[in-house]
Amino acid sequence: MIQQVEDPAVEVHDLTVTYHKKPVLWDIDLTLPRGAIIGIIGPNGAGKSTLIKSMMNLIPHSSGYVRIFDSNIDEVRPQVSYVPQKESVDWDFPASVMDVVLMGRYARLGLFKRPRKADREVALDCLKKVGMEAYKSRQIAQLSGGQQQRVFLARALAQEAEIYFMDEPFAGVDAATEKAIIGLLREMSEKGKTVVVIHHDIQSALEYFNWIVLLNMRLVASGPTQETLIPSLLEETYGGKLTLLAEVGNLMHKKEFTGRDKR
Amino acid sequence: MGQLWEFLSFAEPNIRYVTFGSILLCSSAAVVGSFIFLKKKALVGDAVAHSVLPGVCLGFILAGNKNPILLIAGAFVTGWLSLVTIDYISARSKIKEDTAIGLILSVFFGIGILLLTYIQHSGNAAQSGLDHFLFGKAAAMVSDDVNIFGGMAFVLIIAVALLFKEFTLISFDVDFAKTIGFPVKGLELVLTTLTVFAIVAGIQAIGVVLMAAILITPAAAARFWTNNLRKMIFLAAAFGGFSGLAGAYISYIAPAMPTGPWIVMVISVIAFFSFFFAPQKGIVMKLISRRAMAHQIQEENVLKLLFQLGQEDKNYFQQRSVGDIQARRPFNTKLLLSALERLKKQGFLEKGDDRWQFTQAGQKKGARMVKLHRLWEVYLTRYLRIAPDHVHEDAETIEHIITPDLEAKLEKLLEYPVKDPHESDIPYL
């Protein structure tokens, strides 16, 4: 069940991504609708983070291409916001909550310029939206996991982007934070923003997302939630890796087979 | 003493030059080093420092004398080459970064020593003093050197000030920096170039062997004192500058001494002091607050016990001996006595003929401790479904950290229970 859409927010065309010559994503071909809350779901090692990172061109593609709002990513960077996994940074870094949220304004500021008063006000506003304004001067080392996630979200909001890529924003957060985040996502979607979220829990996915991408090294399904979150497709996604696919991948890794790589 | 005065009066122009030069070099290295420290690349800094030696020697061979421009150019080239090689090896082979750093550091430094020995035996009279590049000799700097190295240091500080926001971002979250379209590769390149510059600027005063210390140690020491990046960098610069000053002084009063080791000694003392005595993060301060916590726990346990005894005898203000208390709970006598004395000082107990009794305030505090203990036991049995005979140990710890705020929440949540899981009364005042 792979449904394509007209005038998509994201178009992934025949994308293959390799890691040390070993394909981790095979021939992904999908389109994501604008203004939707999209869940990317699959088992560990399915390549979910790799997919969104290659959508933003953080990881080189072996073949295929990605277009965002029908443009090359580099032309629309200011409209793209990324919320990395919170474990990807060192929270012992000497910075305050406000410092981190202000980073969301850097794209607009450009090089050399310092944040202006207006940027501080936007940042403070975003902290309010995630319920963290009382913590603006707090050291990031003193935050709980849920609070760290909220700070990352506030930083993304401060970018005032059109499309948001979030890597497991619900991982390791408390119930109150989860509720606050999903409330925000819905609000963003109502304003026409597109939100792409990597998610683990199938139960809540049914309720949270209106578009689902099922992934396990290859694309299993992409379509409206009701049509994709069905037992047969979930079975296909979680029913283990395709052994032949994995074996071929391992062989390519071992032989340093470069046939697919762009030169 | 006379020497110190002569030094501090800066009567001699050369002292003035060398001193200001050293301060500027060391503080600029500390400023750039702060980002190396935050990016956890301390070892890379060390490798680059060692790798500039062959370049210095090649510069000398080419020039035939100690022309600072050629020496710097040579140092810059091999310093850079070492970085590129480390990156290449760790990206393209199975060798991990730490091994690549170790390899490159020793290979480049080895070549440097070979070249240095060759120059020393070449009979070139201009070579005398080249070996100062190993361990540094601030006093050997002449005004031209100071102008060049000091100028480089000044440029470094300006560059970091201009790119402060960008360097902060690539140190904290490099992927995010890429997604917002920052030229991350270019910025990394600038930061690396500045690092090599800082090292090259410092080789005459500090020497290649110990240069890494002045890059990293000031930042590491400053991190203990503050959580604010700007303050951290200013502090690092101040620590670096002070050790530069000390190095220049020593180089002046003891001309036979290399400067580098002395600068490293001074900055290390600052680092050790920070490690032990910085508020909050220092080891000693942590020990002090842990001791205060241990005292508080002992005191609260004594008050709780006296209250329990009073509850049983229906007389809270009875005088009790140390033996009475220990009969109920085997406190260590010495610890118990000191806890009792402290409680007396705090006004929670009174003492008469080696017997102790509650004051009003003490009885109230004792009641609170018993209440917290028993409330927590109720909470554990009710909400975590833990068997009543398993809750005591946990409550022994938790009772000491419950704040009045949590206490109120707990009471409300449990609806003011009157009995704990062991059927003892919960006292409310």
Side-chain angles (χ1 to χ4, degrees):
Chain A
M1 220 304 292
I2 296 166
Q3 192 173 320
Q4 307 291 354
V5 295
E6 291 294 310
D7 187 27
V10 181
E11 179 195 359
V12 177
H13 182 88
D14 199 17
L15 177 78
T16 294
V17 178
T18 61
Y19 184 69
H20 288 316
K21 314 292 179 214
K22 178 177 170 178
V24 284
L25 286 177
W26 293 79
D27 305 288
I28 309 293
D29 201 275
L30 57 82
T31 41
L32 299 177
R34 287 180 194 237
I37 308 180
I38 299 147
I40 300 183
I41 291 174
N44 286 330
K48 304 186 291 291
S49 293
T50 307
L51 179 62
I52 65 166
K53 281 186 180 171
S54 42
M55 282 177 180
M56 288 175 291
N57 220 354
L58 285 178
I59 297 179
H61 311 152
S62 285
S63 65
Y65 62 82
V66 175
R67 287 180 77 75
I68 292 182
F69 300 133
D70 202 23
S71 314
N72 186 316
I73 172 87
D74 287 320
E75 292 160 22
V76 289
R77 288 243 181 243
Q79 293 167 43
V80 179
S81 171
Y82 174 41
V83 181
Q85 283 187 24
K86 63 180 191 298
E87 291 77 16
S88 68
V89 302
D90 175 10
W91 289 92
D92 209 22
F93 194 87
S96 70
V97 167
M98 190 61 169
D99 292 336
V100 173
V101 179
L102 276 174
M103 289 174 186
R105 305 297 298 167
Y106 284 9
R108 275 164 200 277
L109 281 171
L111 297 175
F112 303 115
K113 294 204 191 74
R114 279 161 203 280
R116 303 152 298 180
K117 191 152 185 259
D119 297 310
R120 293 184 177 276
E121 271 170 24
V122 173
L124 192 63
D125 213 40
C126 296
L127 274 174
K128 270 188 199 139
K129 281 187 193 152
V130 299
M132 288 281 291
E133 74 269 32
Y135 294 83
K136 71 180 164 98
S137 311
R138 187 73 67 94
Q139 284 310 307
I140 56 169
Q142 295 163 357
L143 301 178
S144 71
Q147 289 168 335
Q148 291 172 349
Q149 195 65 61
R150 285 169 189 239
V151 170
F152 260 9
L153 210 64
R155 177 175 75 171
L157 290 176
Q159 286 181 263
E160 297 174 325
E162 284 302 312
I163 182 165
Y164 292 79
F165 292 97
M166 305 188 177
D167 201 341
E168 304 237 18
F170 299 114
V173 305
D174 50 293
T177 301
E178 178 151 352
K179 226 169 136 188
I181 296 177
I182 193 66
L184 265 172
L185 299 193
R186 288 194 177 128
E187 209 176 287
M188 286 151 76
S189 159
E190 274 160 26
K191 287 183 193 151
K193 318 257 182 192
T194 312
V195 191
V196 183
V197 179
I198 292 181
H199 194 57
H200 248 121
D201 181 39
I202 299 168
Q203 206 68 37
S204 52
L206 207 54
E207 180 195 337
Y208 288 172
F209 306 115
N210 38 37
W211 191 278
I212 294 284
V213 172
L214 289 175
L215 194 74
N216 190 354
M217 292 179 72
R218 81 281 181 192
L219 184 66
V220 176
S222 168
T225 307
Q226 296 305 328
E227 295 162 47
T228 42
L229 274 190
I230 53 173
S232 61
L233 288 175
L234 284 171
E235 168 69 21
E236 205 184 324
T237 315
Y238 283 88
K241 288 182 177 151
L242 296 181
T243 38
L244 194 73
L245 195 68
E247 264 178 52
V248 171
N250 284 336
L251 206 62
M252 288 170 81
H253 173 57
K254 228 159 80 187
K255 304 232 169 199
E256 302 212 348
F257 184 76
T258 52
R260 292 202 70 123
D261 281 8
K262 282 180 186 165
R263 273 153 223 265
Chain B
M1 206 61 215
Q3 270 180 322
L4 178 65
W5 180 244
E6 196 182 335
F7 174 78
L8 285 177
S9 68
F10 296 124
E12 262 185 61
N14 197 44
I15 298 181
R16 209 157 49 214
Y17 266 121
V18 166
T19 308
F20 286 123
S22 301
I23 292 174
L24 203 55
L25 292 178
C26 291
S27 43
S28 72
V31 167
V32 178
S34 294
F35 289 101
I36 308 292
F37 167 76
L38 290 172
K39 284 174 74 74
K40 304 184 175 70
K41 297 274 186 193
L43 281 177
V44 177
D46 197 21
V48 176
H50 280 77
S51 303
V52 299
L53 185 63
V56 170
C57 295
L58 284 173
F60 180 85
I61 292 172
L62 274 178
N65 58 41
K66 279 191 290 175
N67 173 342
I69 301 293
L70 268 179
L71 296 191
I72 289 174
F76 198 77
V77 168
T78 51
W80 241 103
L81 194 64
S82 72
L83 273 175
V84 175
T85 328
I86 290 172
D87 276 350
Y88 186 84
I89 292 178
S90 41
R92 296 298 170 92
S93 74
K94 284 205 181 300
I95 294 173
K96 299 281 181 279
E97 196 188 22
D98 62 324
T99 315
I101 292 170
L103 277 175
I104 293 304
L105 184 150
S106 33
V107 168
F108 275 66
F109 190 61
I111 296 174
I113 293 291
L114 273 180
L115 291 173
L116 191 64
T117 319
Y118 164 76
I119 294 168
Q120 281 171 334
H121 292 279
S122 67
N124 183 339
Q127 62 89 18
S128 90
L130 200 61
D131 55 333
H132 291 153
F133 287 134
L134 278 183
F135 294 109
K137 183 152 192 175
M141 286 196 289
V142 295
S143 64
D144 270 357
D145 298 336
V146 174
N147 285 341
I148 290 171
F149 292 133
M152 280 167 78
F154 191 68
V155 171
L156 286 179
I157 292 174
I158 301 289
V160 171
L162 276 175
L163 287 167
F164 178 81
K165 163 174 128 265
E166 288 72 18
F167 287 163
T168 308
L169 184 59
I170 61 169
S171 307
F172 177 64
D173 192 346
V174 78
D175 272 353
F176 183 79
K178 281 182 199 157
T179 60
I180 64 172
F182 266 26
V184 171
K185 276 201 176 139
L187 288 168
E188 301 258 11
L189 200 78
V190 173
L191 182 57
T192 320
T193 310
L194 294 180
T195 311
V196 179
F197 257 133
I199 290 167
V200 173
I203 49 173
Q204 180 128 35
I206 301 148
V208 296
V209 178
L210 296 169
M211 192 59 213
I214 202 70
L215 269 182
I216 302 303
T217 322
R223 187 67 185 91
F224 280 102
W225 297 91
T226 175
N227 283 318
N228 178 308
L229 182 56
R230 273 190 190 80
K231 284 185 197 155
M232 188 192 110
I233 292 179
F234 274 113
L235 260 183
F239 290 163
F242 179 75
S243 48
L245 174 74
Y249 172 62
I250 286 157
S251 186
Y252 174 69
I253 59 165
M257 290 273 193
T259 326
W262 280 104
I263 290 181
V264 172
M265 282 300 124
V266 173
I267 191 64
S268 304
V269 168
I270 295 174
F272 275 115
F273 183 82
S274 309
F275 179 75
F276 286 110
F277 298 107
Q280 289 170 27
K281 289 191 180 166
I283 298 286
V284 172
M285 294 304 143
K286 275 191 187 156
L287 281 178
I288 289 174
S289 73
R290 209 172 297 162
R291 200 177 126 101
M293 191 73 203
H295 277 176
Q296 184 204 330
I297 290 175
Q298 285 159 11
E299 290 155 20
E300 289 178 353
N301 281 340
V302 171
L303 290 177
K304 189 176 66 176
L305 190 114
L306 285 172
F307 186 87
Q308 285 167 342
L309 289 173
Q311 208 173 24
E312 282 161 21
D313 300 349
K314 309 226 164 9
N315 179 6
Y316 291 113
F317 299 98
Q318 191 179 318
Q319 292 195 325
R320 298 178 198 275
S321 69
V322 168
D324 294 341
I325 296 172
Q326 282 175 324
R328 179 64 185 265
R329 182 168 169 172
F331 286 108
N332 172 312
T333 312
K334 218 175 116 194
L335 291 180
L336 176 59
L337 279 173
S338 70
L340 286 168
E341 287 296 341
R342 285 198 305 274
L343 284 165
K344 192 180 98 181
K345 240 187 232 164
Q346 293 163 7
F348 293 119
L349 293 182
E350 276 166 5
K351 186 185 181 184
D353 314 329
D354 282 334
R355 294 169 79 83
W356 306 79
Q357 78 171 84
F358 268 140
T359 62
Q360 288 291 340
Q363 190 254 358
K364 209 172 151 191
K365 195 165 156 83
R368 176 170 182 263
M369 293 319 297
V370 172
K371 180 181 77 175
L372 290 181
H373 181 97
R374 293 181 180 166
L375 278 177
W376 191 250
E377 290 187 334
V378 175
Y379 179 76
L380 287 181
T381 47
R382 242 192 247 174
Y383 282 85
L384 280 73
R385 298 179 203 286
I386 294 171
D389 55 335
H390 286 182
V391 292
H392 174 76
E393 287 298 316
D394 201 2
E396 275 293 304
T397 335
I398 304 300
E399 65 193 15
H400 301 292
I401 56 169
I402 292 180
T403 59
D405 187 37
L406 280 173
E407 177 183 346
K409 275 189 195 160
L410 203 55
E411 285 175 340
K412 211 170 149 206
L413 180 73
L414 301 171
E415 294 166 327
Y416 300 91
V418 280
K419 297 273 186 196
D420 77 359
H422 315 291
E423 292 301 314
S424 306
D425 290 328
I426 297 179
Y428 294 93
L429 290 173

